[in-house]
Amino acid sequence: MLGVIGGSGFYSFFGSDARTINLDTPYGVPSAPVTVGTVGEHEVAFLPRHGVKHEYSPHTVPYRANMWALRALGVRRIFGPCAVGSLTAELGPGAMVVPDQLVDRTRGRSDTYFDSGGIHVGFADPYCPSLRAAAAGLPDVVDGGTMVVIQGPRFSTRAESRWFASQGFTLVNMTGYPEAVLARELEMCYASIALVTDLDAGIEAGSGVTTVDVFAEFERNMVPFKKLVHEALEAVEVERTCTHCLAHDGVKLPFELP
């Protein structure tokens, strides 16, 4: 089974014929019930990251519950569509990007399942190369970029934005971490697909980023963005062959993965 975790404005993926599954986990309930449908040859589970009515801000999303629930359901490969700001004028609103690196600037988020046992997870390349290839190979998709994940829920100051850009980061987001590392701990393939909704505050003069503008831009691009996610799912091989995301090969874990 493949998985899709929808971001801001991306609260549904299937029609009324999809089945709904309510799940609980050792880390609480996920953001919303999971809906399961079919895309091409794949059975696909969809979970809205922020809840069906955007009940969760980026710093309050139950990330551990979300990823655990999808793994328990049988998901092993996940796309994480999300809204991002751009830190370069070359990537304007409407651009769709498959990042290849991330930088964590969050704080206080529960970002591991291994609170005991001395387990360490390789994360040098945080995204699954197989899933990245499936999405990045589609027309009009930008392949590569570094996404810096900030704590939120506030947007960056102009100084912070210029600082991020000076480091060579290209995208800024609030939810890409710890989602990606939790997937790696659960040995699930994971790749982000980012929709640029705005140029960040330090990149262009003006009033800065506003929630209204971000959601309006996401809504304008929702149809082509969902189409892109559908096409990425269809491009994924039926059989999982990736070994890059099997982080615990040869390691004895303190508990069994779901």
Side-chain angles (χ1 to χ4, degrees), residues 164-256:
F164 296 150
S166 73
Q167 300 305 303
F169 310 154
T170 49
L171 306 169
V172 59
N173 165 265
M174 298 181 188
T175 58
Y177 189 91
E179 202 168 89
V181 73
L182 293 174
R184 183 63 53 85
E185 286 195 346
L186 293 177
E187 295 195 326
M188 294 192 292
C189 294
Y190 178 94
S192 178
I193 305 177
L195 172 65
V196 174
T197 58
D198 59 273
L199 292 177
D200 210 45
I203 308 305
E204 67 172 359
S207 59
V209 182
T210 69
T211 301
V212 171
D213 290 342
V214 167
F215 275 83
E217 186 63 32
F218 207 93
E219 184 63 29
R220 277 193 290 272
N221 288 281
M222 184 52 63
V223 171
F225 193 47
K226 284 187 176 181
K227 181 175 181 290
L228 170 63
V229 176
H230 267 273
E231 291 173 347
L233 290 165
E234 291 175 347
V236 174
E237 297 290 337
V238 174
E239 297 296 327
R240 182 190 187 192
T241 59
C242 172
T243 58
H244 174 84
C245 302
L246 301 181
H248 308 307
D249 189 27
V251 176
K252 183 175 176 56
L253 300 181
F255 56 82
E256 289 189 11

Side-chain angles (χ1 to χ4, degrees), residues 1-4 11-23 32-39 42-48 69-70 72-75 230 233:
M1 187 182 292
L2 304 185
V4 174
Y11 308 123
S12 63
F13 196 55
F14 300 113
S16 58
D17 57 334
R19 72 181 194 273
T20 299
I21 302 174
N22 291 285
L23 295 164
V34 178
T35 54
V36 178
T38 302
V39 176
H42 299 289
E43 191 175 32
V44 178
F46 174 78
L47 176 63
L70 290 173
L73 193 59
V75 172
H230 267 273
L233 290 165

Side-chain angles (χ1 to χ4, degrees), residues 93-134:
M96 300 183 195
V97 186
V98 179
D100 60 350
Q101 279 293 322
L102 70 78
V103 174
D104 171 33
R105 292 288 300 170
T106 66
R107 60 188 182 277
R109 298 185 183 187
S110 297
D111 61 354
T112 182
Y113 295 105
F114 300 111
D115 292 321
S116 64
I119 304 300
H120 304 277
V121 175
F123 203 52
D125 296 298
Y127 302 115
C128 171
S130 299
L131 290 185
R132 284 198 68 259

